[in-house]
Each structure stands twice: as structure tokens, then as C-alpha cells.
Amino acid sequence: MASTERHRQIVEAVRAEGRLGVAELAALTGASEMTVRRDLEILAGQGVLERYRGGARSLLLRGEEPPFALRVTEGRAAKQRIAAEVAALVADGETVVLDSGTTCLEVARALEQRRLTVMPLSLHAANALTGAPRLRLIIPGGEPRPGELALTGPLTESALAALRFDTAVLGCCGLTAADGLTAYDLAEAAVKRAAIASARRVIAVADAAKFSRTALAHVVPAGALHTVVTDERAPREEVDALTAAGVTVRTVPAEAG
């Protein structure tokens, strides 16, 4: 098992149980206890859990989002395919507002060589696009969230209100036909709504895992989205429900082949 998948299993198990011992985690992951101890040190350094002698306890509440550093490697192949599909939907010359999050970071990388005007809403994406040869980069004001580096607050919202974009590419923490697009952070939800209000077209990016979650902050109903790009593991019933709501759903392979 790859270390990133093992870390995901450990975080989810400790989060569900509250606390687990090294021996229990070794049995769960099939790794040695020495390997699990090293994993726990790494995850403790990311602020995901707290080590104690013989095990670890979760520092994440059920309604909290895992840290960016942990999420950035999860399902990366599927996120890269989603990003490539989004890039194919964007024409040269467009103006694009690009949301925060790990999938949107992959979209930034997919757009790096394109002739576009892009306003990224996170410093991670802004850094990925800095120096792009044909791309005009616009940086909004705002306050970056630690770790996530998503730009939030009245300066970000006013920058969005002052501009009009062809396309908004939005990430999400949860997406269902019933509850719409949701986010964990209230300030980020407000920025997402401002981005939607400033754009002619809204493309939401969501790997399959996002369809099993509804986060705290409601952003918009599903019908406010024009297109959702996801991977083939997305639940069929959710894809059908989104389609029935008038949303175009485009799926990409989750794995190579």
C-alpha cells in the first residue's frame, strides 16, 4: 500500500474511533508497527492527530476538513484527469476565476501554458501560475487561510464584484443534488458565491469522494451549476439527479487505462 493511501486510512480510522493504538492501526493497514509509528509522527506534524504512547487520538472533528497537506496527494491521478477535462472546456482568450482547493490547484497546472486571464483564489494556485508565458495573472486581495492559503474576506469579495469572468471553476467540500454545493469554511463559502455571481458560466470540480459529503456551509443549489466534472466512481444516482436538475455532468477515468 502506498504511504498516501495508508495515511488516509489511518486518519479516517482514528477520526471515526477518536483514538486507536499502534497495533490496531498496523492490523488495519497491513504495515509494520514501526512503519505506523513513523506515519503517526508525520500526521502529528501536519496537525491531523495527536500522538500518545502506544497510539494516537484525532484532532479533527467530524465536520472539519482534513489539512491541505494531507489532501493534496489523495486521488491525484483522478484530479489531474478532471483538470485536463476542465482545461479542454476553456477556450483561449477566456477570463477565468479559479477557486481554492487541491483539484483547482491541478486545474491551475493544466492551464499554465494557455492564453488566458486568470484570477486564482488561493496562493497555491497563484504560485503555480506565476511566470506562465502567455497567461495574464490577476491577484485579488484578501486574507489567506493557514495551510489552505485560500483568499477570503471583504477584499477578496470586492475584487470579485469589480470584475466579470467568462468561467468560474469551483472546488467544493461536498456536492449532492439535494444539498447543492457545500463548504466547510463560512468565509470560503462567501467567496465562492461571489465568484459565481461574477461569472457567466460555472464549472464545479469534484472527485467521487465529494458526493458522499455535505459540509456545514451551503454555497448554491446544484441547479446553479452549469457543468460538473468528476470521475467515473461518482455515484450513478447522484449523477442522474444532477442531470435531472439541468447540470451537465462530465466524467473522466479514475485510473489510467
Side-chain angles (χ1 to χ4, degrees), residues 19-234:
R19 59 193 292 157
L20 283 172
V22 169
E24 294 170 300
L25 291 169
L28 172 70
T29 61
S32 68
E33 291 189 12
M34 182 178 295
T35 297
V36 168
R37 288 190 183 94
R38 284 198 297 264
D39 290 340
L40 294 180
E41 291 298 332
I42 292 170
L43 294 169
Q46 293 175 352
V48 178
L49 49 78
E50 180 182 32
R51 290 279 282 118
Y52 64 83
R53 186 175 179 83
R57 61 178 62 86
S58 180
L59 293 177
L60 295 174
L61 301 176
R62 293 181 187 273
E64 288 183 329
E65 185 175 31
F68 185 93
L70 183 65
R71 295 175 4 249
V72 72
T73 56
E74 289 183 349
R76 189 172 183 186
K79 292 174 183 177
Q80 288 173 333
R81 292 183 180 89
I82 289 170
E85 182 69 17
V86 171
L89 294 174
V90 175
D92 278 354
E94 282 198 37
T95 55
V96 179
V97 56
L98 179 61
D99 201 7
S100 60
T102 58
T103 307
C104 285
L105 176 56
E106 295 298 341
V107 174
R109 291 167 175 156
L111 297 177
E112 184 181 3
Q113 300 301 318
R114 299 287 300 280
R115 183 174 59 81
L116 300 166
T117 297
V118 180
M119 177 187 278
L121 299 178
S122 87
L123 296 185
H124 288 300
N127 184 60
L129 293 171
T130 298
R134 300 196 299 158
L135 187 141
R136 181 187 183 192
L137 186 62
I138 301 175
I139 306 296
E143 182 177 358
R145 283 178 59 203
E148 197 75 20
L149 299 187
L151 295 165
T152 62
L155 291 176
T156 311
E157 293 174 44
S158 63
L160 288 164
L163 299 170
R164 294 295 179 268
F165 298 91
D166 294 306
T167 301
V169 180
L170 292 187
C172 63
C173 301
L175 176 62
T176 67
D179 294 314
L181 191 143
T182 55
Y184 285 109
D185 186 80
L186 297 176
E188 279 195 41
V191 168
K192 290 178 193 294
R193 283 192 291 270
I196 291 168
S198 72
R200 178 179 57 83
R201 174 179 64 160
V202 180
I203 300 174
V205 294
D207 59 82
K210 302 296 175 63
F211 291 88
S212 63
R213 304 173 190 160
T214 297
L216 172 67
H218 180 258
V219 179
V220 288
L225 308 173
H226 298 95
T227 304
V228 170
V229 183
T230 185
D231 66 73
E232 61 191 358
R233 298 169 300 181

